[in-house]
Amino acid sequence: MGLLSLGTPLPWDQARLLAREVRKHGIEQFLHIWRNVKDRQKDRLLWGDEIEYMLISLDHKARRARLSQRGHELLNQLQAEENERLVQAAG
C-alpha cells in the first residue's frame, strides 16, 4: 500500500457501489499471494525490503478471525532471534 498522492478518492455514495467488486478482487489478490508464499520459511530481509503483515487470531469454532494485538511483542522476539543468528554467523 502506498500514499494516495495522485487522483481523488471517490465520494462514499459512488465508492459504495463498487465495494463488492473491490472486496472480491482484494480477496483474490490475498489468496494468490498467500498460495505463493505460504510455505516460505526463514527469509532473510535485506535493506530496502518492505513487508506488510497482519497478525490474525483465528477462532475455528466460531469461524471468526480477529486482528491480533501482539505485533509489538512478536516483533521484539523475531528481532532477538535474528540478532542471535547474526552473532552465531559472525562466529
Side-chain angles (χ1 to χ4, degrees), residues 7-22:
T8 305
L10 292 174
W12 175 244
D13 59 333
Q14 292 177 25
R16 184 178 51 180
L17 300 173
L18 302 171
R20 182 176 296 199
E21 191 70 13
V22 170

Side-chain angles (χ1 to χ4, degrees), residues 55-90:
L55 298 173
I56 305 295
S57 175
L58 297 174
D59 180 346
H60 294 282
K61 287 184 180 179
R63 297 180 52 88
R64 182 170 289 166
R66 294 186 179 190
L67 186 62
S68 174
Q69 300 296 311
R70 297 182 58 213
H72 184 71
E73 171 191 338
L74 295 175
L75 185 58
N76 288 337
Q77 180 181 344
L78 291 170
Q79 190 168 12
E81 290 174 11
E82 178 67 12
N83 289 340
E84 185 177 319
R85 275 193 290 272
L86 291 174
V87 167
Q88 289 175 355

